[in-house]
Structure formats: structure tokens, C-alpha cells
Amino acid sequence: GNGANQSTAGISVFLGQHSAAAVGDIRVLDCRIINAKSYGIRTTGTANVGSRLTVRGCSFEGLAAVSAIETENDDDVQVADCSFYNLTGRGVYIGNPFAGGDRAQVVDNRIRLVTGMGIEVQNIAGAVVSGNSVYNVGSYGISVDTCPGAVVNGNRVATFTGVGIEIIGCDGFSAAGNFVNFTAGGAAGTGMTVDQSQRGTVSGCTFIGFGVDGVHVMGNVNPADFNTITGCAFKGNDTFAVGVRLNTTNHTAVASCTFSGTIFVGVRGVTANKTTVSGGTFLGSYAVYLDGCSDCRVSNIESVGPSAGNGITWTSSSTGNSVIGSRLTGHAVGVDVGASADYIVILGNDTRGSTTGIQ
């Protein structure tokens, strides 16, 4: 039932340093913080002192702040059922520089008109970000970074540009039932990035209005292998949009997804070896386009495309790939295997209605 108005910081707690004893429970409930100039709620310190922070049922409005909520070094953080409106800065930031806190839950919050990230969680071993509504943010809607086993489920993100959901360095993550919509056409928008994360699952998500990528999976210094994208819907809004983009990956599975709207390529892979694409429907210039990808398999997909594009294309540097049991109609070429592609299996496909069946 507290309120804070026009203060430098709404609520600030210093958690100690070195070998300080645990502070214990910190609970901030049903507060209203307006026009704070640095932070709405902040806990900080220089050691992991084992404190627990709960922020529930609070509202933050008009803050010209770094973050409405910022916490570092807490072992257990819960931010639930809060509202954030018209903020300069981030909505929620939870970080732990000491090799991962124990748990962070950001659930059922409402964030609108934020110039920075909506929700950012870093270096937390057990991170749950679910049931949040994030609208019109200036940067990423939701970002989880170095959070192994992160759960990012049932969030709704509506924004103009940028990235809806970022998952980076989160092996074993789950992202299910999220809805990302680019409300102004999304010319520079990507629904979700999965960066250097392995053995994760993106399932039952919807991505609408993106102008760049629906989901972009990428490896770099660390791999992005053995990920699964299943049962998702992609509706692009740009003639160069890509539904699923794979860069430097291995063993990615794309299954039972739908691709529609204005979209150039359904699944686009570059050095994406051992990719499997199975089931699903594709409405776009190219259903599957793999460049420098080997040992990949496309099976049982249905693609209806314009006469200017191909159903499935491999470049000449791709080897050991197969197309089985797919229906590829209305394209210039049903299956284009490249001039020097080797060890290709093409079996049981229907290319009727394409100008050239196999090239």
C-alpha cells in the first residue's frame, strides 16, 4: 500500500559485500511508484548473499530510470502481477554475476511503452519467464542470457521493430506458446533469436508480421545444435522475410510448422548440417533453401508457391541430402539440387503443377 513519487529511487536495498550473511526475505507488495529518476526498485551488492526478493502487485509509471526493477546477487527473485507503463529504460532486469543465481520467476506482468528491454534475465540457473504481456518496447521484448534450462512460455510480445524474444547461451531451454506480433509491419523485426543454445525446444509459438526472420537459430563460438522447432506458425510481412533461419547449426529439426503471408523462404539454412524438415505447409517463393548444408532430410511437406520460386533448393556445395514424400506444386522448379550436389535421394514426391519437376 506504499507509494513513491518523483524520488531519485523508489526503493533501494544494499545487500552487503564480501562474506556478509544472508539478508533473508525482502517483500515489496502492492506498491505504486511514479516518476522515479534512477530505479523503481533496486537491490544491489558485491557478494551473493542468499537473499530472496518478491515483488508482487506493484505498478510503475513515468519512470526516467535505468530499470523499473533491477536486482543483482539475489538467489531467489519473483516479479509477479506487476504493471509497467511509459518508462525510459528497462522494465525488469535480473542478473547475477556470481556463476548463476538459483531461481528467477518473472510471471504474469504487463509492460507497455518502454524505451529499453521489456524483461532481461542474465546468469540465472533456474529462470522462468511466462505469461507476460510486453507491448511497444524500444529494444528486445524479452531476453534470457546464460540461463541453462530457461523456461519462456506463454508470453505475448507486440512491438514495432527489434527482436521479440532473445535466448542466448541457454542450453536445454523451453519456449512454448509464445505470441510475437510486429504491429507496424516489422520491416526490421525478428520474432525470436536462439543464439549459441543447444538441445532446446520452440513449440506452439506464433510469429506474425516479421520482416526479417520468424526464428533465427545461430551458432558462433559455442554451438547451437540439437534444437527442435515444432508446431509453430509463421506469417511474414516482407518479400525477403524468412520463417526459420539456421546459421552454423547441426541436427536442427523443424516439424509440422506453417509458413504463410508475405514470405520469401520458409526454412533457410547456411552451413546447417543434418537439418530435418518434416510435415507442415509452405506458402512462399521457396519452401526450403539450404546453402552448404549436408546430410539433411526434407520429408512429407506440402508447398504451393509462385512460378518465380522453387520448392526445395540445395546449392552445389551441399551433399548427402534427401527429399522424400513431399508435394511441391506451382513452383518454377519442384526440386533443384544444384549443379554439383552429390549423393542426393529424391523419392516419392509429387511435383505436378511446377514448371520443372526436378532439376
Side-chain angles (χ1 to χ4, degrees):
N2 299 294
N5 186 21
Q6 296 182 339
S7 58
T8 300
I11 299 171
S12 183
V13 179
F14 181 67
L15 298 178
Q17 58 188 353
H18 304 306
S19 59
V23 173
D25 286 330
I26 304 169
R27 301 187 181 186
V28 184
L29 309 176
D30 301 321
C31 291
R32 186 183 184 196
I33 298 175
I34 303 173
N35 300 334
K37 302 305 180 185
S38 59
Y39 299 92
I41 295 173
R42 186 189 189 197
T43 66
T44 187
T46 58
N48 191 348
V49 296
S51 61
R52 293 174 296 277
L53 172 68
T54 300
V55 182
R56 184 182 297 121
C58 297
S59 64
F60 304 82
E61 184 175 343
L63 277 64
V66 177
S67 304
I69 297 176
E70 180 158 321
T71 173
E72 295 181 352
N73 308 335
D74 297 291
D75 275 347
D76 190 343
V77 179
Q78 183 185 82
V79 179
D81 195 27
C82 294
S83 63
F84 305 80
Y85 176 70
N86 194 24
L87 309 181
T88 301
R90 291 176 295 203
V92 177
Y93 172 76
I94 300 172
N96 194 314
F98 296 96
D102 291 334
R103 187 173 69 164
Q105 297 185 36
V106 185
V107 297
D108 299 331
N109 299 287
R110 300 162 300 283
I111 299 173
R112 184 182 178 194
L113 292 177
V114 177
T115 63
M117 289 188 185
I119 298 169
E120 184 178 4
V121 181
Q122 289 186 332
N123 207 21
I124 300 293
V128 177
V129 181
S130 66
N132 301 285
S133 297
V134 182
Y135 296 139
N136 298 345
V137 295
S139 183
Y140 294 6
I142 295 169
S143 174
V144 289
D145 185 346
T146 319
C147 298
V151 176
V152 184
N153 290 351
N155 301 285
R156 296 182 66 88
V157 179
T159 187
F160 299 114
T161 187
V163 176
I165 299 172
E166 176 190 54
I167 298 170
I168 178 169
C170 300
D171 291 352
F173 71 89
S174 170
N178 299 290
F179 182 93
V180 180
N181 182 21
F182 290 93
T183 55
T190 292
M192 178 183 293
T193 59
V194 177
D195 187 353
Q196 303 178 79
S197 302
Q198 298 192 88
R199 302 184 186 279
T201 301
V202 181
S203 62
C205 296
T206 300
F207 304 94
I208 295 177
F210 55 90
V212 181
D213 303 319
V215 173
H216 186 178
V217 183
M218 68 195 88
N220 197 329
V221 175
N222 296 311
D225 299 340
F226 297 99
N227 292 301
T228 299
I229 302 168
T230 182
C232 295
F234 300 87
K235 187 175 182 180
N237 195 42
D238 190 90
T239 54
F240 292 101
V242 174
V244 175
R245 187 185 299 270
L246 308 175
N247 285 101
T248 317
T249 63
N250 291 285
H251 296 282
T252 303
V254 181
S256 302
C257 295
T258 61
F259 301 84
S260 63
T262 304
I263 198 163
F264 185 53
V265 181
V267 178
R268 174 79 163 93
V270 177
T271 318
N273 298 316
K274 298 179 173 62
T275 298
T276 62
V277 182
S278 60
T281 58
F282 296 75
L283 301 177
S285 296
Y286 293 81
V288 180
Y289 192 109
L290 301 177
D291 184 4
C293 303
S294 297
D295 302 315
C296 301
R297 177 186 174 102
V298 179
S299 62
N300 302 309
I301 73 167
E302 182 169 352
S303 175
V304 179
S307 59
N310 298 343
I312 297 169
T313 295
W314 280 296
T315 63
S316 58
S317 55
S318 301
T319 62
N321 300 305
S322 61
V323 184
I324 298 173
S326 295
R327 186 169 182 263
L328 310 165
T329 63
H331 293 283
V333 180
V335 180
D336 186 351
V337 299
S340 302
D342 297 325
Y343 305 107
I344 301 296
V345 175
I346 303 173
L347 180 65
N349 302 286
D350 181 358
T351 60
R352 288 175 293 182
S354 293
T355 305
T356 300
I358 299 171
Q359 175 175 286

